[in-house]
Amino acid sequence: MTDTLAWAARPPARRDRRRATLVGAALTLLVVASGCTGANGGSGTSSGPPVTVSVTGPLCDQLPAGDEPGNPGSLAGQPADQALQWIPVLTTFEAAVRATGLADELTGTPGVTILAPTDDAFAAKFSRTNLDELLLHDTDELRGLLRDHVVTGSLPVAELVDAGSVTTLAGTRLAVTGQEQGARVADRADTVCADYQASNARIHVINQVLGSLPTTAGTEDDHDHTAH
Amino acid sequence: MRYRRTTAGVFSSLLAAILAATALPAQAHGQLAGTALQLQAEPNQVQDVTVVQGAGYATLAWTHVDGATDYQIERTPVADDGTATGNSVIVGVWRPNRQINNSEPTFADAGFAPGNRFQWRVRARFGTTAQPYSAPVAGTTNAHWGDPGTPGQNLRTQWENTLGAQYTSDVNEYAYTAAIDELSDRVRVVEIGRTIQNRPINMFVIGYPTPPATPEAVAATNPLLVNCNVHGNEPGDREACFIMARQLAFTDDPATLDRLSKTTMLILPTINGDGRAANSRGNSTGQDLNRDYSLIRQPETQTFVEMIRDYRPIASYDGHEYGNTNTGDLPMLPPRHANVAQGIFDESQHMIEGHMYTQGAKDGWWACPYGCTGANVGLGEETILRNTLGLKNVVNSLLELRSSGGPTRPDEGNTANNRRRKTYSALWTFNQFLAYHGARVGDITAARAEAIKFQSANTGRIVFRGSRPIEAYPAPHPGDTPPPVDAPTPERILEQVPCAYKLTEEQYHGARTDGPAGRQTTVAQRLAAHGWKVVKVADGYLVPMSQPERGLVPLLLDGQAAEGLVAGERVAPTLTGTHNGPLTVSGVACLDGATVRGPVRVQPGATLIVNGGSINGPVDASGAAGFVLTDSTVNGPVNVTGVRGPVVLVGNKVSGPVNVVDSADVAPLIAGNTVNGPLGCTGNGIAPTNLEVANSVSGPKFSQCASL
């Protein structure tokens, strides 16, 4: 299931100008929330007092913070797959989760640790053509890749480092060493913004794609001619 | 401590308190007060800085400093009382290749959250040596467009509501689109098709006070089109389109309403909804749709081409993002394919270089030729929309948004900043596009009319692949590295051009394997989607070259084509010299530059194609299978009665009455003719059209041809 949209939610085919009145709830979400700059930034997904979540790493400065939509505190109560949608450097990883239906494995108990590579990391790893193939066709392969980025148990980065090594859902053992305030994983990926909290999950943004798929970025199909 | 943006006054007060308590030395924030006291200009200090707020951007302008090699633009968030509420950041680097008039430097700062207040300073650099900063200039940036208290204006997209943290999803798009449709009489949202995964492909049809009711009526208003998002992983332009649709739907701006009263704006936000949802470049099958606009193997591109056929925009922009850091803000490129009519190419270039470069220099946006600082991109593939539309006589341009900030916008490591700059630069472009269209509609329609007549005349060579050159724009603007020449190689040139292609039954109606499973279409369906005229003949189907999209015909139907659809049989002219006496046509005849001194009679069931001919005598085509007459002179009446297939009369001079009556199932095309005499059309199964290319008729125009 690669759709973000449930079939039932789609409007029926129509060519007429006038239809039934809008669903009130949908319209309400669209209208600017005047005078409201709450912690959830209009996301409408969390309620109650703001949660303070401290994330660490050099990339955190570049991500939503303070009272901005998508700030770490606003994600704390959300299912992991939804929290991923708020971290703007994870659009590829997040799309991959949807493409592979991995959300089920990310949202259950006892929880998971997600080592989520940035969009830049994906771009450095896979050619655009290869990435499209993974997202659209080779979703089993992609699922395997993602499961090499997920560890059972919701572990703060400090606990990852203390453990020294962890095993992914795909069965790969990853060495973890301390690296400044974060961690270095499998001797190649560094956490660049660690310790996002989601419901039953920790999300650590990393700067390299893990797993064993070959690197295809920079190859023949990744040159300028695929632009525009 | 980490912050970049502040909306709460409480926070700025808190910060002020911290600053006071820690008694920072007069650096950073303290310097702000210091500069305000400077009355005497320091050497090489930038003077006369002004800021003008735009939609999601702020245009800074200043007086050029002699000897400056570049400038740095600094931005600081400030409270109403001028107190800094955050760090000062270099957000922009102005370089001489940014604009065409270096004497009046400008920079469009963008990326900030709309509505916040900032101050800006500018300093020159001589090489790497920074000169003193200018005095600061402060301003409150424009909030998201629309009054929060006014219905319709208060709509916001998911992207706006999340300050760029999330793109607008498909679900949010449908709700937002429906809300605009519901609340604005100016907008009709038309579902023009569905994607493979059954997502609606919606198009905003916008006019004032209301949009014309039918595609045909829209076509009569010289509409313009923005195709916002073909590659699912390049969504910046799409967000601009949603905002622009809201602006057009609910603005009170008299200039905009005036433009909308004279034309129709078509905004197609999401041709590739499946790819957008999947964050993939291609559609759900992985097909790059921008390599499919001529072949139309996919439902999405077929839908698009049918829309072009029916709504007939005269000008267009096609939105993309470009992953080259070392390029302009807004790389653009015209339709370059060598078969594109010269006037369409020229007018597209004028839109880019004559308008966008000039306006960009005023507003601070860096428009430049695709590639811009050198790259092997921007060639002549007719599968790319830019070229396909040019071959359909649409003045148009590619638009790229530079994906990353690059060296000239160093504060875009923050994803939201980056996304906002891209989207608001696209919004600027699309609004400029509307303004350009309004100012140049006469030139655009003239170029289009000439192009339709030129193509229909079937004169000149055919190039299968290859481009017109893009001349270097004078330095310092980076035309010194225009796109590659891409001249056609000899084996890609056809000098002896056929007058038609003939397809067999199997070629025309046979099942095909290209295209998604279960959704494959035949050649017949695709040619119909393009709107081409096809004549049913005894042993197959004849596609005349003499039609408005002539430059595209061989690219799909010739065996020599680079990415052809089917290898049709070239049908050579049957008469090129002079024929004395009556000419009776049976079967298929093609006259290319021929002279006939005598009457011409097309027998029932026969087909006549005449390009660039001269006929002395009456022409009668009663009961013909097809009748095509272009770029010709006829001394005598032309009677076209009961033709079963296409009738094409384009760019002729006829001395005598012209009658087109009782044609069967295909709308006759009667465009750009000069008729000395009456023009009469009755009883045609579908009323004749002129594609908005008027005929000059000295006598009366009757019945179905009254408005042609």
Side-chain angles (χ1 to χ4, degrees):
Chain A
M1 182 75 182
T2 58
D3 296 357
T4 52
L5 172 60
W7 292 93
R10 291 185 197 171
R14 66 179 176 82
R15 290 172 193 271
D16 306 332
R17 164 155 173 70
R18 293 297 167 198
R19 304 157 316 288
T21 308
L22 270 179
V23 178
L27 185 59
T28 305
L29 277 178
L30 291 165
V31 171
V32 60
S34 50
C36 171
T37 53
N40 62 10
S43 71
T45 49
S46 65
S47 56
V51 180
T52 301
V53 172
S54 180
V55 291
T56 55
L59 193 68
C60 299
D61 271 350
Q62 309 291 354
L63 299 172
D67 60 359
E68 292 172 332
N71 71 76
S74 69
L75 309 189
Q78 300 194 25
D81 60 322
Q82 290 177 34
L84 289 169
Q85 296 179 5
W86 285 100
I87 304 174
V89 294
L90 300 183
T91 60
T92 311
F93 187 83
E94 191 275 327
V97 168
R98 281 186 286 115
T100 57
L102 198 71
D104 287 348
E105 291 196 62
L106 302 183
T107 51
T109 50
V112 290
T113 302
I114 302 169
L115 301 166
T118 62
D119 292 332
D120 286 347
F122 274 99
K125 177 71 180 175
F126 299 115
S127 73
R128 192 60 240 177
T129 304
N130 191 184
L131 200 50
D132 264 25
E133 285 168 357
L134 289 167
L135 286 167
L136 298 169
H137 300 308
D138 304 332
T139 49
D140 287 346
E141 195 173 13
L142 181 62
R143 185 182 171 87
L145 178 77
L146 295 191
R147 294 179 89 244
D148 245 340
H149 293 79
V150 182
V151 173
T152 300
S154 174
L155 301 176
V157 74
E159 291 182 26
L160 280 179
V161 172
D162 287 346
S165 75
V166 291
T167 302
T168 68
L169 296 186
T172 306
R173 190 166 162 278
L174 303 173
V176 184
T177 55
Q179 175 87 352
E180 302 193 352
Q181 288 180 297
R184 164 155 279 219
V185 182
D187 205 26
R188 63 199 234 221
D190 294 325
T191 59
V192 287
C193 190
D195 280 329
Y196 273 97
Q197 295 177 31
S199 181
N200 286 329
R202 288 273 172 157
I203 300 168
H204 308 303
V205 180
I206 60 175
N207 64 357
Q208 295 283 328
V209 175
L210 304 174
S212 55
L213 293 183
T215 297
T216 54
T219 56
E220 184 62 24
D221 66 355
D222 198 33
H223 288 161
D224 272 334
H225 68 264
T226 57
H228 118 318
Chain B
M1 179 167 187
R2 181 157 47 78
Y3 55 81
R4 291 173 316 286
R5 194 187 64 78
T6 305
T7 51
V10 174
F11 189 44
S12 48
S13 305
L14 179 64
L15 183 65
I18 293 169
L19 288 174
T22 53
L24 284 174
Q27 297 166 353
H29 307 318
Q31 197 176 27
L32 302 180
T35 51
L37 296 174
Q38 289 167 355
L39 300 174
Q40 192 93 30
E42 298 178 57
N44 301 324
Q45 184 184 25
V46 168
Q47 300 293 320
D48 310 319
V49 178
T50 59
V51 61
V52 176
Q53 301 302 330
Y57 67 95
T59 299
L60 294 152
W62 59 92
T63 300
H64 178 64
V65 175
D66 281 343
T69 50
D70 68 9
Y71 297 89
Q72 290 180 314
I73 294 91
E74 176 206 67
R75 185 209 303 150
T76 309
V78 293
D80 286 343
D81 65 359
T83 315
T85 57
N87 291 329
S88 301
V89 178
I90 302 283
V91 293
V93 176
W94 185 100
R95 291 174 171 175
N97 62 356
R98 234 188 129 73
Q99 63 188 73
I100 55 177
N101 55 335
N102 277 198
S103 59
E104 297 174 56
T106 60
F107 190 91
D109 181 30
F112 49 78
N116 289 352
R117 184 171 176 82
F118 301 99
Q119 74 165 36
W120 290 267
R121 299 191 302 171
V122 180
R123 68 181 177 190
R125 289 196 301 186
F126 294 3
T128 55
T129 307
Q131 306 300 314
Y133 267 117
S134 69
V137 55
T140 301
T141 60
N142 289 333
H144 289 138
W145 188 88
D147 176 359
T150 303
Q153 288 198 9
N154 64 358
L155 296 171
R156 297 291 182 267
T157 62
Q158 181 177 357
W159 182 85
E160 291 175 294
N161 276 332
T162 64
L163 293 178
Q166 295 182 332
Y167 286 110
T168 299
S169 71
D170 46 7
V171 175
N172 188 262
E173 172 187 336
Y174 308 141
Y176 178 84
T177 302
I180 288 179
D181 191 11
E182 192 70 28
L183 294 169
S184 173
D185 288 340
R186 299 174 201 164
V187 177
R188 180 172 65 252
V189 175
V190 179
E191 183 184 311
I192 59 172
R194 291 242 164 178
T195 66
I196 291 174
Q197 293 179 343
N198 205 34
R199 288 188 169 82
I201 301 172
N202 290 324
M203 183 168 75
F204 295 96
V205 181
I206 308 175
Y208 181 80
T210 59
T214 64
E216 192 68 25
V218 170
T221 65
N222 301 312
L224 68 165
L225 165 72
V226 177
N227 187 42
C228 309
N229 182 217
V230 64
H231 293 141
N233 59 333
E234 300 173 5
D237 311 82
R238 175 173 170 266
E239 298 296 342
C241 282
F242 293 138
I243 297 169
M244 186 170 186
R246 181 173 86 238
Q247 290 174 329
L248 297 181
F250 303 110
T251 185
D252 300 319
D253 174 51
T256 305
L257 295 182
D258 181 56
R259 287 179 191 126
L260 290 177
S261 71
K262 295 169 179 164
T263 188
T264 310
M265 178 108 197
L266 307 173
I267 298 178
L268 211 177
T270 319
I271 189 69
N272 183 16
D274 299 344
R276 173 78 280 273
N279 202 29
S280 62
R281 176 180 173 92
N283 70 354
S284 62
T285 72
Q287 172 63 48
D288 183 342
L289 296 180
N290 204 28
R291 298 296 181 276
D292 195 51
Y293 282 107
S294 57
L295 293 163
I296 51 173
R297 292 159 292 197
Q298 305 294 323
E300 294 90 353
T301 42
Q302 182 179 334
T303 291
F304 185 94
V305 163
E306 288 171 343
M307 182 276 291
I308 296 293
R309 177 196 64 197
D310 296 340
Y311 286 83
R312 300 198 285 277
I314 65 166
S316 176
Y317 255 88
D318 184 35
H320 293 261
E321 296 186 25
Y322 182 33
N324 179 343
T325 60
N326 192 27
T327 189
D329 295 329
L330 297 165
M332 301 181 185
L333 200 69
R336 297 181 66 195
H337 193 289
N339 291 355
V340 173
Q342 183 74 48
I344 295 296
F345 173 81
D346 290 344
E347 187 63 26
S348 302
Q349 272 290 74
H350 186 270
M351 178 167 73
I352 295 167
E353 298 192 355
H355 184 83
M356 293 297 180
Y357 287 9
T358 306
Q359 294 303 315
K362 287 181 184 168
D363 292 343
W365 291 109
W366 179 11
C368 65
Y370 188 33
C372 196
T373 50
N376 189 33
V377 291
L379 308 182
E381 302 97 317
E382 72 281 0
T383 56
I384 292 175
L385 183 62
R386 168 175 59 85
N387 289 316
T388 316
L389 283 181
L391 293 164
K392 289 176 176 285
N393 307 306
V394 180
V395 168
N396 82 101
S397 176
L398 159 80
L399 175 67
E400 296 278 359
L401 315 176
R402 184 185 60 246
S403 292
S404 60
T408 65
R409 293 185 182 271
D411 189 38
E412 291 190 9
N414 181 300
T415 309
N417 292 357
N418 172 259
R419 290 177 179 177
R420 285 188 286 250
R421 185 266 303 167
K422 286 188 286 195
T423 284
Y424 290 117
S425 69
L427 184 59
W428 175 85
T429 306
F430 299 151
N431 274 296
Q432 286 294 333
F433 173 46
L434 178 58
Y436 179 81
H437 172 278
R440 294 278 294 193
V441 67
D443 303 87
I444 299 170
T445 53
R448 179 176 177 273
E450 274 310 303
I452 287 173
K453 285 193 275 188
F454 164 77
Q455 298 286 13
S456 300
N458 190 25
T459 53
R461 69 182 190 177
I462 282 292
V463 168
F464 292 111
R465 268 288 159 81
S467 297
R468 294 179 185 279
I470 304 287
E471 301 296 336
Y473 197 88
H477 197 65
D480 53 348
T481 51
V485 173
D486 190 33
T489 53
E491 71 275 14
R492 294 235 159 125
I493 297 173
L494 184 65
E495 297 287 358
Q496 299 299 318
V497 176
C499 69
Y501 287 90
K502 190 160 80 180
L503 307 181
T504 66
E505 177 70 28
E506 174 59 24
Q507 286 176 320
Y508 192 62
H509 279 134
R512 293 183 62 93
T513 56
D514 56 346
R519 301 290 293 270
Q520 287 107 340
T521 53
T522 62
V523 169
Q525 289 169 307
R526 297 190 209 181
L527 301 194
H530 279 299
W532 292 359
K533 307 294 188 193
V534 180
V535 184
K536 172 81 178 79
V537 293
D539 53 348
Y541 298 84
L542 208 57
V543 184
M545 287 284 281
S546 309
Q547 46 185 323
E549 298 180 8
R550 176 251 191 188
L552 189 55
V553 170
L555 310 187
L556 289 183
L557 303 184
D558 198 287
Q560 209 176 324
E563 286 182 74
L565 178 60
V566 65
E569 175 193 344
R570 291 177 189 166
V571 178
T574 54
L575 178 63
T576 56
T578 299
H579 178 88
N580 288 312
L583 179 69
T584 301
V585 174
S586 57
V588 175
C590 174
L591 279 57
D592 180 19
T595 299
V596 179
R597 297 197 177 109
V600 175
R601 164 93 180 104
V602 186
Q603 294 195 319
T607 300
L608 176 62
I609 299 171
V610 181
N611 311 316
S614 174
I615 300 172
N616 243 321
V619 177
D620 185 89
S622 296
F627 179 68
V628 176
L629 180 70
T630 65
D631 191 33
S632 296
T633 303
V634 179
N635 281 316
V638 175
N639 272 305
V640 184
T641 304
V643 173
R644 296 202 314 260
V647 173
V648 176
L649 299 171
V650 179
N652 302 294
K653 289 188 176 66
V654 181
S655 297
V658 174
N659 281 299
V660 178
V661 299
D662 296 340
S663 296
D665 299 333
V666 187
L669 173 60
I670 305 173
N673 300 289
T674 300
V675 179
N676 268 318
L679 172 63
C681 306
T682 55
N684 296 290
I686 303 176
T689 63
N690 66 1
L691 299 181
E692 297 74 56
V693 180
N695 298 280
S696 171
V697 180
S698 68
K701 291 189 278 191
F702 293 113
S703 188
Q704 290 176 316
C705 285
S707 62
L708 298 189

